[in-house]
Amino acid sequence: MKTPLLAVLSSAVLLTGVPAWAQKNDEPVKSAQVDLDGDGKPDAVTLTAGEGGKFTLKAGSATLQGNASGNEVRGFTVVDLDTGDKWKELLVHTLGDMDDDHRFFLYGYDGKAVKPLGDVRALTEAKGNGIVLVDTWMGFWQRRDKYTLDRKAWKLVHVPQEFYAVGVEATVKKSFPLAQSRTGKAVVATTAQGSKVQVLAASVPTKGEVQYLVRSSTGLLGWVPGNVLVESTDGLPLAG
């Protein structure tokens, strides 16, 4: 599988495009002194890895038991998801056997308790404005999800999208139909062998086949199942 852009991880587990608010040394650590709750005093932070992906995270006088479900717990980095507030966050790095299994756990500390904010595959982009963008490799494109930090609830909230932007081109090696809708069978166009098509967007259901919105060489739009698209075209940036 191609290593996702969001998690180009060496043994040091690097964050993509590390912003200015991240630790100067972006390699995960097991202990640090950092002001997490904005009271002007450094808080002692330690991370102790246990068996089976379990870990103990301590900040100040508070302790939290975490579970990375069998992943290797590498350490944590300090981030600031929202530079407009006084708090900073802890990002616990864990590695799975495959890229898709890597998880990054976010925690906040309010001076009394360590609070789980949520977990993501990685922080592809976090500019300190309370928004986190996360990329997931989908075989030949990157799915980008948005999360917002709800400080009152101390949670990262996923912002759902009906469709995801794709933006790749392919050549038709075997003609296939484009349906008028994701669920119907009515055909709006049939692609021509040897023609170029543009894959504009994807509909990603919780279960079942991903459906792709495709623009034909004649400018018509229609939907095609992912397996048909892959089998009937050349040139998609597939990675094994």
Side-chain angles (χ1 to χ4, degrees), residues 31-100:
S31 64
Q33 293 279 339
V34 59
D35 181 10
L36 295 175
D37 58 0
D39 65 357
K41 301 176 183 179
D43 303 297
V45 182
T46 60
L47 177 68
T48 304
E51 296 182 355
K54 295 181 180 179
F55 59 89
T56 300
L57 180 63
K58 294 183 178 181
S61 59
T63 301
L64 178 140
Q65 303 296 327
N67 191 341
S69 301
N71 280 11
E72 177 189 357
V73 180
R74 297 300 306 276
F76 67 87
T77 50
V78 179
V79 298
D80 191 350
L81 297 183
D82 189 349
T83 56
D85 63 29
K86 65 179 182 178
W87 293 282
K88 291 183 175 61
E89 290 75 41
L90 300 171
L91 183 70
V92 175
H93 301 228
T94 78
L95 288 180
D97 294 333
M98 301 181 66
D99 291 352
D100 288 348

Side-chain angles (χ1 to χ4, degrees), residues 67-191:
N67 191 341
S69 301
N71 280 11
E72 177 189 357
V73 180
R74 297 300 306 276
F76 67 87
T77 50
V78 179
V79 298
D80 191 350
L81 297 183
D82 189 349
T83 56
D85 63 29
K86 65 179 182 178
W87 293 282
K88 291 183 175 61
E89 290 75 41
L90 300 171
L91 183 70
V92 175
H93 301 228
T94 78
L95 288 180
D97 294 333
M98 301 181 66
D99 291 352
D100 288 348
D101 298 327
H102 301 328
R103 301 304 293 179
F104 293 76
F105 297 84
L106 280 156
Y107 298 94
Y109 176 64
D110 64 359
K112 297 179 180 179
V114 179
K115 296 177 176 290
L117 302 176
D119 63 284
V120 293
R121 294 185 183 277
L123 269 69
T124 303
E125 184 178 302
K127 296 182 177 180
N129 58 358
I131 296 173
V132 174
L133 300 180
V134 177
D135 285 351
T136 302
W137 182 246
M138 298 293 290
F140 62 88
W141 62 285
Q142 295 280 7
R143 187 182 84 187
R144 172 156 289 194
D145 283 282
K146 176 182 177 180
Y147 294 80
T148 58
L149 178 62
D150 184 338
R151 179 57 72 189
K152 290 184 179 180
W154 288 81
K155 292 291 182 182
L156 268 185
V157 179
H158 182 241
V159 179
Q161 301 174 70
E162 184 175 2
F163 307 121
Y164 291 89
V166 179
V168 300
E169 187 176 80
T171 301
V172 177
K173 66 179 180 182
K174 182 174 63 175
S175 295
F176 58 91
L178 299 178
Q180 291 178 352
S181 69
R182 289 168 286 168
T183 56
K185 295 183 178 180
V187 174
V188 67
T190 300
T191 59

Side-chain angles (χ1 to χ4, degrees), residues 200-222:
L200 303 178
S203 172
V204 184
T206 303
K207 295 182 179 180
E209 188 76 27
V210 176
Q211 298 284 329
Y212 290 95
L213 181 63
V214 171
R215 182 182 186 273
S216 72
S217 59
T218 57
L220 298 174
L221 294 178

